[in-house]
Amino acid sequence: MNIIIFGPPGAGKGTQAENLVKDYNLFKVSTGDLLREEINKETKLGIQIKSSISRGFFVADDIINTLIENIISDSANQNRMLFDGYPRNFNQVKKLDLLLNKYNQKIFSVINLNTDRDTVVKRLLGRIVCLKCGSTFNKFFKPPSKSGHKCESKHLITRSDDNEKTIIKRFITYEEKTLPILNYYKKQNLLTNIDGMNKIDEIYKEIRQIMP
Ligand SMILES: [Zn+2]
């Protein structure tokens, strides 16, 4: 089955996607990964991508669509694709429909991790990482002091790229872009909203319920 997963930054989408990939043998289709892979392999497309990124441009939809078609046309991926971070705009939605049709593929379900602004801010602002052992914590939800963490506190760092203004701006942009896409899938009865403010394993339990 092919799945699309949506959620704002900080909704824990990456973790849930990983769970699904592992438990249902899905193939994660992330445009970020595809672009990086193309750049690393130094393909003709990869060189083009690298040049737009280095000049500060967005990667054109045409390039994204070509990469996505490469994935969908490959029978090894068919009926097991988990789209993560794609489609990102309405052009991509339409293109995805065309490609799915062309290769006789269907979307089984569209999962939306519904998360409010405050939760996202707290999750991202509260992030703490231990540089010694790699454990992650959260100042609000999972403080290292209460998690039985043994390393000295000097190893703990907060992520400096997550300041509140940036987080809120990213959240608003995400909502504006994603709402019309969610409505589109809702009209086709494909959308399932999942409470992204729950604990991670509770969220995953809910996701499992919609899987066959
Ligand atoms: Zn540690």
Short mmCIF file of all heavy atoms in Angstrom, two decimals, residues 122-150:
data_model
loop_
_atom_site.label_atom_id
_atom_site.label_comp_id
_atom_site.label_asym_id
_atom_site.label_seq_id
_atom_site.Cartn_x
_atom_site.Cartn_y
_atom_site.Cartn_z
N LYS A 122 7.17 24.01 21.82
CA LYS A 122 7.77 23.37 23.00
C LYS A 122 8.66 22.19 22.62
O LYS A 122 9.74 22.01 23.18
CB LYS A 122 6.67 22.88 23.94
CG LYS A 122 6.16 23.97 24.87
CD LYS A 122 5.25 23.35 25.91
CE LYS A 122 4.89 24.34 26.99
NZ LYS A 122 3.93 23.76 27.95
N ARG A 123 8.18 21.39 21.67
CA ARG A 123 8.98 20.23 21.28
C ARG A 123 10.32 20.66 20.69
O ARG A 123 11.36 20.09 21.01
CB ARG A 123 8.23 19.41 20.24
CG ARG A 123 7.25 18.45 20.87
CD ARG A 123 6.73 17.48 19.85
NE ARG A 123 5.69 16.65 20.42
CZ ARG A 123 4.71 16.12 19.73
NH1 ARG A 123 4.62 16.34 18.43
NH2 ARG A 123 3.83 15.36 20.30
N LEU A 124 10.27 21.66 19.80
CA LEU A 124 11.51 22.04 19.11
C LEU A 124 12.41 22.89 20.00
O LEU A 124 13.62 22.70 20.02
CB LEU A 124 11.19 22.78 17.81
CG LEU A 124 10.48 21.93 16.74
CD1 LEU A 124 10.19 22.77 15.51
CD2 LEU A 124 11.29 20.71 16.35
N LEU A 125 11.81 23.82 20.74
CA LEU A 125 12.62 24.68 21.61
C LEU A 125 13.23 23.90 22.75
O LEU A 125 14.31 24.22 23.23
CB LEU A 125 11.74 25.78 22.22
CG LEU A 125 11.70 27.13 21.55
CD1 LEU A 125 10.97 28.11 22.44
CD2 LEU A 125 13.10 27.65 21.24
N GLY A 126 12.53 22.87 23.19
CA GLY A 126 12.98 22.12 24.36
C GLY A 126 13.99 21.04 24.06
O GLY A 126 14.50 20.39 24.95
N ARG A 127 14.28 20.84 22.77
CA ARG A 127 15.21 19.77 22.39
C ARG A 127 16.56 19.90 23.06
O ARG A 127 17.21 20.93 22.98
CB ARG A 127 15.45 19.83 20.88
CG ARG A 127 14.50 19.02 20.08
CD ARG A 127 14.96 19.08 18.64
NE ARG A 127 13.89 18.61 17.76
CZ ARG A 127 13.97 18.67 16.45
NH1 ARG A 127 15.03 19.18 15.86
NH2 ARG A 127 12.98 18.22 15.71
N ILE A 128 17.00 18.80 23.66
CA ILE A 128 18.33 18.75 24.26
C ILE A 128 19.01 17.48 23.74
O ILE A 128 18.38 16.42 23.69
CB ILE A 128 18.24 18.67 25.80
CG1 ILE A 128 17.52 19.91 26.35
CG2 ILE A 128 19.62 18.53 26.42
CD1 ILE A 128 17.18 19.82 27.83
N VAL A 129 20.24 17.61 23.35
CA VAL A 129 20.98 16.45 22.87
C VAL A 129 22.21 16.25 23.74
O VAL A 129 22.85 17.22 24.13
CB VAL A 129 21.45 16.66 21.40
CG1 VAL A 129 22.16 15.42 20.88
CG2 VAL A 129 20.27 16.99 20.50
N CYS A 130 22.52 15.00 24.06
CA CYS A 130 23.76 14.71 24.78
C CYS A 130 24.83 14.36 23.75
O CYS A 130 24.69 13.41 22.99
CB CYS A 130 23.58 13.54 25.74
SG CYS A 130 25.15 13.08 26.52
N LEU A 131 25.88 15.16 23.74
CA LEU A 131 26.94 14.96 22.75
C LEU A 131 27.77 13.72 23.05
O LEU A 131 28.45 13.19 22.19
CB LEU A 131 27.86 16.18 22.71
CG LEU A 131 27.26 17.44 22.09
CD1 LEU A 131 28.26 18.59 22.15
CD2 LEU A 131 26.84 17.19 20.64
N LYS A 132 27.70 13.26 24.30
CA LYS A 132 28.51 12.11 24.66
C LYS A 132 27.86 10.79 24.22
O LYS A 132 28.50 9.96 23.59
CB LYS A 132 28.76 12.10 26.17
CG LYS A 132 29.95 11.22 26.53
CD LYS A 132 30.28 11.32 27.99
CE LYS A 132 31.41 10.36 28.34
NZ LYS A 132 31.44 10.10 29.77
N CYS A 133 26.58 10.63 24.53
CA CYS A 133 25.95 9.33 24.23
C CYS A 133 24.90 9.42 23.11
O CYS A 133 24.37 8.40 22.67
CB CYS A 133 25.31 8.74 25.48
SG CYS A 133 23.88 9.64 26.06
N GLY A 134 24.59 10.64 22.67
CA GLY A 134 23.65 10.78 21.56
C GLY A 134 22.18 10.74 21.95
O GLY A 134 21.30 10.84 21.09
N SER A 135 21.89 10.60 23.24
CA SER A 135 20.49 10.57 23.66
C SER A 135 19.83 11.93 23.44
O SER A 135 20.49 12.97 23.52
CB SER A 135 20.37 10.24 25.14
OG SER A 135 21.03 9.03 25.42
N THR A 136 18.53 11.92 23.16
CA THR A 136 17.82 13.18 23.01
C THR A 136 16.78 13.31 24.12
O THR A 136 16.18 12.32 24.56
CB THR A 136 17.11 13.29 21.66
OG1 THR A 136 16.25 12.16 21.52
CG2 THR A 136 18.10 13.33 20.51
N PHE A 137 16.60 14.53 24.55
CA PHE A 137 15.66 14.83 25.64
C PHE A 137 14.85 16.05 25.28
O PHE A 137 15.07 16.68 24.24
CB PHE A 137 16.44 15.09 26.94
CG PHE A 137 17.38 14.00 27.30
CD1 PHE A 137 18.72 14.08 26.96
CD2 PHE A 137 16.92 12.85 27.93
CE1 PHE A 137 19.60 13.05 27.27
CE2 PHE A 137 17.79 11.82 28.26
CZ PHE A 137 19.13 11.92 27.92
N ASN A 138 13.92 16.38 26.13
CA ASN A 138 13.17 17.62 25.96
C ASN A 138 12.97 18.29 27.31
O ASN A 138 12.53 17.64 28.27
CB ASN A 138 11.83 17.34 25.28
CG ASN A 138 11.14 18.62 24.88
OD1 ASN A 138 10.66 19.37 25.74
ND2 ASN A 138 11.10 18.89 23.59
N LYS A 139 13.32 19.57 27.36
CA LYS A 139 13.23 20.35 28.58
C LYS A 139 11.82 20.28 29.19
O LYS A 139 11.65 20.25 30.40
CB LYS A 139 13.58 21.80 28.23
CG LYS A 139 13.86 22.70 29.40
CD LYS A 139 14.55 23.98 28.93
CE LYS A 139 13.58 24.96 28.30
NZ LYS A 139 14.23 26.16 27.73
N PHE A 140 10.80 20.26 28.31
CA PHE A 140 9.41 20.27 28.79
C PHE A 140 8.83 18.87 28.99
O PHE A 140 8.08 18.61 29.91
CB PHE A 140 8.52 21.04 27.82
CG PHE A 140 9.01 22.43 27.53
CD1 PHE A 140 9.69 22.70 26.35
CD2 PHE A 140 8.83 23.45 28.45
CE1 PHE A 140 10.16 23.97 26.07
CE2 PHE A 140 9.30 24.73 28.18
CZ PHE A 140 9.96 24.99 27.00
N PHE A 141 9.14 17.97 28.07
CA PHE A 141 8.46 16.67 28.08
C PHE A 141 9.29 15.54 28.67
O PHE A 141 8.76 14.56 29.17
CB PHE A 141 8.04 16.28 26.65
CG PHE A 141 7.15 17.29 26.00
CD1 PHE A 141 7.61 18.09 24.97
CD2 PHE A 141 5.84 17.46 26.44
CE1 PHE A 141 6.77 19.04 24.38
CE2 PHE A 141 5.00 18.39 25.85
CZ PHE A 141 5.47 19.18 24.82
N LYS A 142 10.61 15.65 28.53
CA LYS A 142 11.46 14.53 28.96
C LYS A 142 12.80 15.08 29.43
O LYS A 142 13.82 14.96 28.74
CB LYS A 142 11.66 13.58 27.76
CG LYS A 142 12.35 12.27 28.06
CD LYS A 142 12.64 11.56 26.74
CE LYS A 142 13.63 10.44 26.92
NZ LYS A 142 14.17 9.97 25.62
N PRO A 143 12.83 15.75 30.59
CA PRO A 143 14.08 16.34 31.06
C PRO A 143 15.11 15.27 31.37
O PRO A 143 14.76 14.22 31.92
CB PRO A 143 13.67 17.10 32.32
CG PRO A 143 12.31 16.66 32.67
CD PRO A 143 11.71 15.94 31.51
N PRO A 144 16.40 15.51 31.02
CA PRO A 144 17.44 14.49 31.25
C PRO A 144 17.53 14.09 32.73
O PRO A 144 17.80 12.93 33.03
CB PRO A 144 18.72 15.17 30.79
CG PRO A 144 18.37 16.50 30.26
CD PRO A 144 16.91 16.72 30.37
N SER A 145 17.26 15.05 33.61
CA SER A 145 17.37 14.77 35.05
C SER A 145 16.38 13.69 35.50
O SER A 145 16.62 12.99 36.47
CB SER A 145 17.15 16.05 35.84
OG SER A 145 15.91 16.63 35.48
N LYS A 146 15.26 13.58 34.79
CA LYS A 146 14.26 12.58 35.18
C LYS A 146 14.27 11.35 34.28
O LYS A 146 13.37 10.52 34.32
CB LYS A 146 12.86 13.22 35.14
CG LYS A 146 12.68 14.26 36.24
CD LYS A 146 11.28 14.85 36.22
CE LYS A 146 11.17 15.97 37.24
NZ LYS A 146 10.02 16.85 36.96
N SER A 147 15.28 11.26 33.42
CA SER A 147 15.29 10.14 32.47
C SER A 147 16.37 9.12 32.80
O SER A 147 16.68 8.26 31.99
CB SER A 147 15.50 10.67 31.05
OG SER A 147 14.56 11.65 30.75
N GLY A 148 16.96 9.25 33.97
CA GLY A 148 18.00 8.31 34.36
C GLY A 148 19.26 8.46 33.52
O GLY A 148 20.03 7.52 33.36
N HIS A 149 19.49 9.65 32.99
CA HIS A 149 20.65 9.90 32.13
C HIS A 149 21.91 10.05 32.99
O HIS A 149 21.91 10.80 33.96
CB HIS A 149 20.39 11.16 31.31
CG HIS A 149 21.51 11.51 30.39
ND1 HIS A 149 22.24 12.66 30.53
CD2 HIS A 149 22.02 10.85 29.32
CE1 HIS A 149 23.16 12.69 29.58
NE2 HIS A 149 23.04 11.61 28.83
N LYS A 150 22.99 9.32 32.63
CA LYS A 150 24.16 9.22 33.49
C LYS A 150 25.29 10.19 33.16
O LYS A 150 26.15 10.44 34.00
CB LYS A 150 24.72 7.79 33.45
CG LYS A 150 23.75 6.72 33.97
CD LYS A 150 23.73 6.69 35.50
CE LYS A 150 23.02 5.48 36.08
NZ LYS A 150 21.69 5.19 35.55
#
